[in-house]
Amino acid sequence: MMEAISNAVKNNPFSSPFHQAKCEGFKVNETRTIAAASAKEETSCEFGSNKYYALCGFGGLLSCGITHTAVVPLDLVKCRIQVQPEKYGGIIKGFKVSIKEGGALELTKGWAPTLIGYSMQGICKFGFYEVFKIFYGNLLGEENCFLWRTSLYLISSASAEFFADIALCPMEACKVRIQTQAGWSTTLREGFPRILKEEGVNGFYKGLVPLWCRQIPYTMMKFACFERTVEALYKYVVPKPRVECNKAEQLAVTFTAGYIAGVFCAIVSHPADTIVSKLNQAKGSNFMDIAKDLGFMGMWKGLFPRIIMIGTLTALQWFIYDSVKVYFRLPRPPPPEMPESLKRKMGV
């Protein structure tokens, strides 16, 4: 498997950030050529190498673990609105009721499973995304990679999230119960063995299918929307090519594109998120039962705080992830451009 991926890396059109400079008859302007060569020399590892994947996974660990833990109070209120809307109402009332019942520390419930679970998810989400994008890119070939790049982003992110959710699910089950079930265990140290004793291993994974339904569309939107938004910003908004932007300007584009992607992510994945919250609260329930009980409108409870949370989360995650790439001097390919061979075919 690793040998196949290694060969894919060497031969696929993403194997070098400056692949297009090698195309027959292709000539970039002198300024862009010098900047590209300089950027390539400064990288700390080869694009698609094991070190590259490992550091991308580390970037995912930091981006997801830190950001999700930072918004635990908002996540707690959002979950409580989803499972008991009549009690917690909107976001402001939800904060007031939660603090009144348990003090300010009440808002930190579930921080440990959040930190551990989403750190593991981040490793798989970002690390495997890079792996699958290169692997599928080799299967498509250079021209199809450009023509079908949105599909490439979608299938690569979906494949990565499939495995990421398997890593996340046990901690997500603990987190939701700690946050929404009054009188249940209040710490991961108590809650994890309790689920294992009362429900067995299946207790950790009964929410896996709805978690896939929530996270896979979310991640597909997160990566595809981000990649295409970055491409559009550099093409229509930023007044100069990315290679001529300094690191601060590039990270500003990353943050902006991340927030735009986050808003769409929240909307696409919210109904499944509500079902996951209810499913982990109600013993013996299943996905379809919860969906019927909630009804269409009930699935959209808590959408506003989730848009705020996910928009901010997604922007910060991309910002941290890109910052890790900058810090470790990882290869960062520029937005895709049409290959010269395709330009000739299309008469462009």
Side-chain angles (χ1 to χ4, degrees):
M1 175 66 178
M2 291 307 297
E3 183 179 352
I5 292 176
S6 177
N7 291 333
V9 169
K10 294 176 181 177
N11 299 321
N12 88 92
F14 291 107
S15 61
S16 169
F18 314 103
H19 179 82
Q20 292 176 8
K22 302 175 185 177
C23 293
E24 182 181 353
F26 183 75
K27 181 175 177 61
V28 293
N29 67 62
E30 297 301 319
T31 303
R32 296 290 297 276
T33 303
I34 293 171
S38 174
K40 185 174 182 180
E41 291 171 358
E42 293 174 357
T43 58
S44 63
C45 62
E46 182 183 352
F47 184 75
S49 64
N50 289 336
K51 180 180 178 181
Y52 175 80
Y53 291 137
L55 289 174
C56 286
F58 179 68
L61 181 151
L62 292 180
S63 66
C64 292
I66 292 172
T67 53
H68 278 277
T69 305
V71 296
V72 161
L74 186 59
D75 183 49
L76 177 141
V77 172
K78 181 267 300 179
C79 287
R80 289 182 173 182
I81 292 172
Q82 289 173 329
V83 300
Q84 290 183 281
E86 65 286 344
K87 178 179 179 180
Y88 292 98
I91 184 170
I92 296 176
K93 183 181 177 181
F95 271 104
K96 287 181 177 179
V97 173
S98 295
I99 293 173
K100 183 178 179 180
E101 289 181 340
L105 286 178
E106 182 76 6
L107 299 177
T108 65
K109 277 187 174 181
W111 73 267
T114 297
L115 176 61
I116 296 171
Y118 283 93
S119 293
M120 294 190 298
Q121 185 211 38
I123 294 172
C124 299
K125 184 196 296 278
F126 284 91
F128 285 162
Y129 174 70
E130 300 287 353
V131 172
F132 283 118
K133 188 167 73 169
I134 287 174
F135 184 74
Y136 294 141
N138 182 63
L139 297 179
L140 286 173
E142 182 181 24
E143 293 181 1
N144 286 330
C145 272
F146 178 80
L147 293 173
W148 297 91
R149 60 193 183 281
T150 301
S151 298
L152 176 65
Y153 305 146
L154 290 171
I155 191 172
S156 300
S157 56
S159 300
E161 189 61 34
F162 177 86
F163 295 102
D165 290 341
I166 295 173
L168 168 64
C169 200
M171 293 296 106
E172 182 75 0
C174 294
K175 177 189 77 75
V176 171
R177 297 182 196 202
I178 289 171
Q179 291 179 337
T180 62
Q181 292 187 21
W184 203 74
S185 301
T186 58
T187 66
L188 176 63
R189 186 174 61 254
E190 298 172 356
F192 190 90
R194 180 173 178 176
I195 294 177
L196 187 61
K197 180 181 179 180
E198 294 178 357
E199 302 177 50
V201 176
N202 289 338
F204 294 115
Y205 287 99
K206 77 172 189 176
L208 181 58
V209 172
L211 191 61
W212 276 330
C213 292
R214 180 188 82 183
Q215 288 296 130
I216 290 179
Y218 161 84
T219 301
M220 292 170 72
M221 181 67 71
K222 174 179 180 174
F223 282 85
C225 185
F226 171 80
E227 298 268 22
R228 293 309 299 262
T229 301
V230 167
E231 185 180 336
L233 288 175
Y234 279 114
K235 186 175 183 179
Y236 299 110
V237 179
V238 181
K240 52 187 176 182
R242 197 192 78 166
V243 72
E244 297 175 12
C245 297
N246 60 39
K247 292 297 186 287
E249 291 170 335
Q250 291 180 20
L251 291 174
V253 171
T254 295
F255 184 86
T256 303
Y259 209 101
I260 293 171
V263 172
F264 289 101
C265 289
I267 296 171
V268 165
S269 61
H270 190 74
D273 181 66
T274 303
I275 292 173
V276 169
S277 296
K278 290 288 287 185
L279 192 61
N280 281 305
Q281 183 202 36
K283 287 186 177 181
S285 57
N286 59 54
F287 181 84
M288 293 305 299
D289 290 339
I290 295 295
K292 290 177 181 178
D293 290 342
L294 286 170
F296 180 77
M297 294 306 296
M299 293 182 189
W300 296 97
K301 295 288 186 181
L303 177 60
F304 180 67
R306 191 158 189 269
I307 286 177
I308 298 173
M309 183 182 80
I310 297 300
T312 306
L313 269 177
T314 306
L316 289 174
Q317 283 174 5
W318 279 114
F319 183 84
I320 293 171
Y321 182 65
D322 221 21
S323 296
V324 169
K325 283 189 168 183
V326 169
Y327 179 81
F328 287 107
R329 296 181 293 111
L330 299 184
R332 298 166 64 238
E337 297 180 2
M338 183 180 292
E340 284 297 302
S341 60
L342 189 58
K343 287 182 179 179
R344 291 194 293 270
K345 289 180 181 180
M346 299 179 68
V348 177

